[in-house]
Amino acid sequence: MSWFFTGLLVGVYTPQLVSVMLPYALCAFLTLTAVLVSAGAWRWALGLLLGVLLQVTSTIAAVDARLSPEVAGDSLVVRCTVSTIPAVSAQAARFDAHCDGPVELPTPVRLSWHQPAASVRVGDRWQWVVRLRPPGGLSNPGRRDPEASVLAAGTRANGYVVRSSRNRLLATTATPVAQWREAIRQRIRDVLPHRSAAAVVVALATGIRHDMTNAQWDRFRASGTSHLVAISGLHVGLVAAMVVWLSRPVLACVLRSSSARRASVCLGLVAALVFAVLSGWGVPAQRACLMVLAVVLAGLARRETSGSELLAVAGSLVLVSDTLASLSTGFMLSFAAVAVLLWLFRPLPARPGESPTWRIGRLPGLQVGLFFGLLPAVALTGQPASLVAPLVNLVAVPLFSLVTVPATLLGVLLMPLAQDAPWFRIAAWSVDGFSAFADHASGLPTLRVAIWVSLPALLWVVLPVGFPGRAAALLTLPAMLLSPGRSVPEGCFDAHFLDVGQGTAIVVETRSQTLLYDTGPAYRSGRSAAELNILPFMRARRVDRIDTLIVSHADSDHAGGLAAIVAELTPSWIYAGEPLPGVEVSYCHAGQAWIDNGIGFRFLYPHRPLAESGNNASCVLEVSAGTHRLLLTGDIERDAERRLLSTGLRRAAVVSVPHHGSRTSSTLPFVRAVAARYAIVSAAAENRWGLPIPDVVARWKSAGSEFINVGLAGYTRMRLCEDSGAHRMHSQRDRQRRWWQPTPVD
């Protein structure tokens, strides 16, 4: 079975790594040929064949089920049933729904209703006016491929509810499971009013994580303990173990010993299934239920089964039932974690005179081994790794396993009996204690994988034979190749145009300094492009502070991430075209200039500090390597362009197209004077303003510029050198191109 599972994994992941998919017949022929060639490894070859065919057919079916581009952006009157518990914030409600409309619609549809006219509950049947678009996401280094994430999540269309008098509630038909989850959620809220820990307890009891604040998520991520608030195999296994432990003495009173044991194990399986369904039936919960099922069947059959065989059975069943789950980060990390734990918990030779406390003493080593063993998977998924994770998990895992989760589950089971629900309070106290400990621990340095990747190899040399994690440390060596960091040649600088939707964020790197031009937009959810895209990119580049921050002007699509950037990257200098609330800045004006490693920086506009307001207050920055220049223009419009031309504007090799390609900018005299080789615009794909305007695109192209839309191409990296000029290093969507993705068209 293990060989079959290995082949299945290889077969499932192989199509994910290619940009052009071979025809079906050729794929089948090549795989069948492998079966014939490897006659002695037919299980592996059979798994490979099945994996390739499952991945290709599942992906094609999912892509074909997406919203048709012909109806994208149209206002549609639809009737929808809300299928998930809504995530409600002060500004919006977000949820999945199954919709019927005047045209065939995919299912499910992920909708947002900004400032909803009424509360939305799972099971509600509504008539809405909606606007939909095909699902997608922002494409930047340091984050998971957005198209893969969308396929794994099962979302086939995104959209929002349009404010209209035709919006009305038709009926309420919530399922019993949904009603049960909502009742548990509300009970915990009632027992723990005004307690931030209530959101974590709700997440552990029902899998509903919408109530958790950004600060709480940041705490769990920074300490490497996000797995504790996902309904994982640990939680499902605890439920099964608790039910077995509690039911066996009761059943022993009425059944024979062997029958009581089998009956209690079966009850544990039922409890695990019920809890997994209650929690939303995620991939980790599925894996845990399948492993519990395998253990139960092996026990009933009185067959000795190894942990690797159980993992192989569970993994094979998950992949066959939901092949696209393999595209998710959670699938890789959860299965990798179990595999590493199975290796670390392998039987060790008995030591003369060893006591049970020696086994307890293995826990720190197990945490270290798990940390190092998961590093390759963490690096492959683009996640940051925290040095404090082993320390925090050493405290958090026993705390959650022995106190928080059992207390939460007992509170759920005893809800009908205990009006006071003290178990929920115990769970909340343990969460508060963890939060205080994690806050102190997160003050320790958190570094990117490649900085200390040599550490596990050194530990491997000095650790004693049999120490958990000794061999797993070697697995971290490939991570050295997965995080390049800064590598700018002498006499050159790199310009990184980040994909932040309808906003701007450009990072300029020299050999020794980092400059950030604009901080991207803020979102109605309370997050910002800085938290979701810019900061992960900086961590991937191993940048923990920046030298200069320039906020072109105060509009939210340029200054929306200011607070997050200042808090984490602590810029030495901050320039802005307009006053920014809560931040002391120097106002940019023409003539300000500095040099770093031979790279020149010079403000060209505005001519006097605070001489303009709004878009025309934007700081215009010129960065030069010899005679080759980068021009960053913010949101300047016609008047500002005319003033720049009056001062003798020089040609630029690369220009950020003003105002996202709006018709109020990029006048013909300005375009001709700049005469850029590359014109790069930052505009969200399929934005409602239709930016960049086709006339503007044609104007830049007619001037000889290669026009690049970051919203379509994804993150784009340019390099300008004194001796070789400007050239495009790559764009993220080209670099991550997969066979199921459409080719972007400007």
Side-chain angles (χ1 to χ4, degrees), residues 247-548:
S247 64
R248 182 174 293 182
V250 177
L251 293 172
C253 297
V254 295
L255 298 173
R256 290 182 302 175
S257 176
S258 59
S259 299
R261 179 182 61 82
R262 286 194 288 268
S264 64
V265 168
C266 291
L267 284 177
L269 173 62
V270 172
L273 288 170
V274 170
F275 180 65
V277 171
L278 177 66
S279 68
W281 196 240
V283 170
Q286 294 175 39
R287 182 208 68 221
C289 285
L290 290 171
M291 291 194 73
V292 171
L293 175 62
V295 171
V296 170
L297 293 178
L300 295 177
R302 298 184 179 181
R303 176 186 172 185
E304 291 292 333
T305 307
S306 67
S308 60
E309 288 179 319
L310 294 176
L311 181 65
V313 170
S316 300
L317 291 176
V318 170
L319 286 175
V320 170
S321 62
D322 184 11
T323 308
L324 295 181
S326 63
L327 292 166
S328 68
T329 301
F331 177 90
M332 180 183 294
L333 292 179
S334 62
F335 273 90
V338 174
V340 172
L341 286 173
L342 288 174
W343 169 256
L344 297 176
F345 272 111
R346 71 194 187 283
L348 296 177
R351 295 185 173 184
E354 94 177 11
S355 64
T357 57
W358 181 81
R359 297 289 178 180
I360 298 175
R362 292 182 64 197
L363 290 177
L366 291 172
Q367 284 297 331
V368 173
L370 181 63
F371 178 66
F372 286 147
L374 282 179
L375 281 184
V378 170
L380 284 171
T381 56
Q383 304 295 310
S386 171
L387 276 177
V388 302
L391 171 64
V392 177
N393 276 280
L394 187 61
V395 175
V397 170
L399 177 66
F400 272 64
S401 301
L402 300 178
V403 180
T404 313
V405 175
T408 300
L409 296 177
L410 283 172
V412 172
L413 290 173
L414 300 177
M415 268 179 50
L417 304 177
Q419 296 298 320
D420 189 41
W423 295 106
F424 290 142
R425 290 193 176 86
I426 294 173
W429 290 332
S430 68
V431 171
D432 289 337
F434 160 78
S435 299
F437 173 72
D439 286 340
H440 286 294
S442 62
L444 298 174
T446 302
L447 304 178
R448 188 64 186 167
V449 172
I451 295 179
W452 38 264
V453 72
S454 59
L455 178 61
L458 296 175
L459 280 174
W460 181 83
V461 174
V462 300
L463 290 177
V465 175
F467 192 90
R470 185 173 187 266
L474 290 178
L475 298 175
T476 65
L477 296 179
M480 294 178 66
L481 306 175
L482 300 176
S483 183
R486 186 195 301 269
S487 57
V488 183
E490 189 71 39
C492 302
F493 68 89
D494 285 353
H496 307 269
F497 293 79
L498 299 183
D499 183 10
V500 293
Q502 195 62 31
T504 303
I506 303 166
V507 178
V508 177
E509 281 186 329
T510 68
R511 283 184 66 84
S512 61
Q513 294 195 5
T514 302
L515 176 148
L516 174 62
Y517 184 93
D518 283 339
T519 64
Y523 304 128
R524 294 183 179 182
S525 64
R527 303 293 266 182
S528 68
E531 296 166 275
L532 300 178
N533 295 280
I534 302 175
L535 292 177
F537 170 78
M538 292 295 194
R539 294 175 194 131
R541 302 287 296 174
R542 306 201 299 272
V543 175
D544 55 10
R545 61 173 298 276
I546 58 176
D547 302 279
T548 306

Side-chain angles (χ1 to χ4, degrees), residues 105-154:
L105 297 176
T107 187
V109 174
R110 182 153 295 173
L111 291 173
S112 298
W113 193 0
H114 299 290
Q115 297 179 338
S119 61
V120 182
R121 295 170 296 178
V122 64
D124 285 354
R125 181 76 173 170
W126 283 83
Q127 175 178 285
W128 281 314
V129 179
V130 301
R131 288 180 185 155
L132 304 176
R133 64 182 184 276
L138 305 179
S139 183
N140 292 294
R143 296 201 68 192
R144 182 75 169 157
D145 175 19
E147 277 76 17
S149 299
V150 165
L151 286 176

Side-chain angles (χ1 to χ4, degrees), residues 154-175:
T155 305
R156 305 295 175 249
N158 292 329
Y160 62 94
V161 178
V162 179
R163 185 174 298 177
S164 171
S165 59
R166 289 180 287 183
N167 296 337
R168 58 192 178 92
L169 178 65
L170 301 176
T172 299
T173 56
T175 64

Side-chain angles (χ1 to χ4, degrees), residues 65-101:
R66 286 182 173 183
L67 180 73
S68 172
E70 284 74 17
V71 301
D74 295 341
S75 293
L76 304 174
V77 179
V78 298
R79 295 193 171 194
C80 302
T81 301
V82 180
S83 57
T84 59
I85 294 177
V88 180
S89 65
Q91 294 82 18
R94 295 173 179 81
F95 46 86
D96 288 351
H98 297 273
C99 299
D100 303 314

